[in-house]
Structure formats: structure tokens, C-alpha cells
Amino acid sequence: SQQGEEDPQALSIQEGENATMNCSYKTSINNLQWYRQNSGRGLVHLILIRSNEREKHSGRLRVTLDTSKKSSSLLITASRAADTASYFCATAPLSGSRLTFGEGTQLTVNP
Amino acid sequence: EAQVTQNPRYLITVTGKKLTVTCSQNMNHEYMSWYRQDPGLGLRQIYYSMNVEVTDKGDVPEGYKVSRKEKRNFPLILESPSPNQTSLYFCASSYRGVSGWSNQPQHFGDGTRLSIL
């Protein structure tokens, strides 16, 4: 089964609202990364948070990591229609060479 | 412009006809990887390469081959494609970095949609 699992699978909000997506994982990690995928395009890296970090910000993005609960959240503030995309979390193991992706959250921001 | 380029973007072919999907990056990245994306299954890694002449299996390597003869190129080869390999394929690359490739962002190509009839 996948290491990372996003929740919810789909989220629909109005422009200007905040969007929160969650990711849970099973085994200990080196870091956790969030990616965005626009329809028909490749994934774009958004933010990386290391296992010894609890919170990280990048523009309108805020990521938290709780290693005790093996979970992370991605918050997009003041969402825009251009934020409509699929969002994936990916976990990097403590050892090994595989980055494991979840199934993604489809975010729709309505104008 | 820094990019990962995949070709072709779309391909419809028949069972058993060998095909190659090319991947090239212009960022001098050591690490390259192939993924397939299927509905309900997310992205699954097929093969990866830590550097020239070094390749290893990912989670779903059966039916695929790769080679890394040059740093910039990492082709994916389907020797005898079958319908269950119909999927959206992505190539990705990253620096190895001081603390290892997994601490680096992955750069993705725009994908190759393969349909095998």
C-alpha cells in the first residue's frame, strides 16, 4: 500500500477561502514533500519539510509535520482559481532510495 | 530554461511492439527516475538511477528496462508492451546534494500518455 495517504480525496472551495489537505504515512521518514499537478502537466515541487521541523511557510503555503502522529497538513490561504490542481504528498524514507507518493487531493477553487 | 523533456507526449501502439520513451534533463542532475501514474494508485516508481551506469528497480519494474549511458538521458524501454502498461508516465530528476537526493526537490517532465491496444 502507499506510504502517504491524502485526505480528503477531493475538495471544492470558493476563491478567497483557505484549503487544508492532510497526509498520513506509516513508517519513519527523512522528510515529507508536497507537490502540485495541474491537469495534463507534470508535478511541481512546492515545499519540503524535514523530520526535525514542525512547520514551514512559503508564500501562501503553510505545511505542518507531526512525526508522533505520522501526519502532515498543507494549508493554502486566500485560495485563487489558479490553485485548482491535484496536490500530492511524498515521503522520503530514513534509508533507501524511493520517494513514495500518495494518491493526491483534487482541489477545485471556484471563482 | 531548466527542464525535463519527455518524448513522445502521446503514443498509441499495439501489444508486443517495442517502444522507447526518452527523457532528457539539462540541469546536470545525478538522480533520475521513472514513475507511472494510474487512477486510484497514485505515482509508483518503476526504475531509478543514482548516476551514470547505476540503475535500480523501483516498486513496479516488471516489463520495463532502463539505461543510463549519459548523465542527461534516462530512456524507458518497453520490450514487449502489454495493455496493462497503458498509463501516464513521468520522468523526474534531482541533484544528489550534500545530504542526499531525497532532500532535494524532484523536477518532473510533462508526462507521456501511453495507450497499448
Side-chain angles (χ1 to χ4, degrees):
Chain A
S1 61
Q2 294 294 312
Q3 162 78 317
E5 294 184 4
E6 286 93 343
D7 170 63
Q9 286 189 320
L11 180 62
S12 182
I13 60 174
Q14 296 300 122
E15 216 166 19
E17 293 180 341
N18 295 341
T20 300
M21 288 159 270
N22 303 297
C23 171
S24 61
Y25 57 92
K26 297 184 175 67
T27 60
S28 296
I29 59 172
N30 181 305
N31 67 71
L32 186 145
Q33 304 177 31
W34 285 92
Y35 289 80
R36 183 188 75 231
Q37 183 182 30
N38 290 91
S39 180
R41 303 300 299 274
L43 281 74
V44 174
H45 182 264
L46 294 176
I47 199 162
L48 181 153
I49 185 165
R50 293 185 167 76
S51 59
N52 61 354
E53 298 175 312
R54 292 296 166 259
E55 189 170 310
K56 207 162 182 179
H57 296 256
S58 177
R60 294 184 295 113
L61 305 181
R62 173 178 167 253
V63 168
T64 62
L65 179 64
D66 187 335
T67 53
S68 66
K69 294 181 180 177
K70 291 187 168 59
S71 68
S72 173
S73 68
L74 170 66
L75 168 68
I76 304 174
T77 59
S79 62
R80 306 165 182 167
D83 294 327
T84 294
S86 292
Y87 291 83
F88 295 86
C89 68
T91 53
L94 288 176
S95 62
S97 302
R98 298 178 188 181
L99 193 64
T100 304
F101 287 81
E103 294 177 30
T105 292
Q106 172 61 51
L107 172 67
T108 301
V109 181
N110 302 298
Chain B
E1 179 188 352
Q3 59 186 3
V4 177
T5 304
Q6 294 179 227
N7 280 296
R9 291 292 313 279
Y10 306 91
L11 179 63
I12 301 174
T13 188
V14 296
T15 300
K17 186 176 180 182
K18 180 180 178 180
L19 67 90
T20 299
V21 184
T22 63
C23 174
S24 181
Q25 50 92 6
N26 62 0
M27 295 168 279
N28 203 35
H29 286 167
E30 295 89 358
Y31 181 90
M32 297 186 75
S33 179
W34 276 102
Y35 297 88
R36 60 178 289 175
Q37 185 177 30
D38 301 289
L41 296 175
L43 272 83
R44 294 178 293 168
Q45 190 179 52
I46 303 171
Y47 268 95
Y48 63 93
S49 169
M50 304 287 272
N51 214 326
V52 176
E53 300 293 0
V54 180
T55 63
D56 210 343
K57 297 177 181 179
D59 296 313
V60 288
E62 293 78 20
Y64 304 95
K65 284 176 58 176
V66 293
S67 68
R68 188 91 182 273
K69 293 184 171 55
E70 306 164 282
K71 197 171 188 179
R72 64 183 293 129
N73 296 323
F74 190 45
L76 178 70
I77 303 156
L78 285 71
E79 293 270 3
S80 183
S82 62
N84 65 9
Q85 293 177 299
T86 292
S87 187
L88 180 58
Y89 291 85
F90 289 100
C91 179
S93 70
S94 72
Y95 284 115
R96 182 165 49 213
V98 174
S99 54
W101 71 270
S102 66
N103 283 314
Q104 306 296 323
Q106 298 287 301
H107 298 259
F108 281 80
D110 277 338
T112 295
R113 187 167 291 281
L114 284 184
S115 293
I116 300 169
L117 308 176

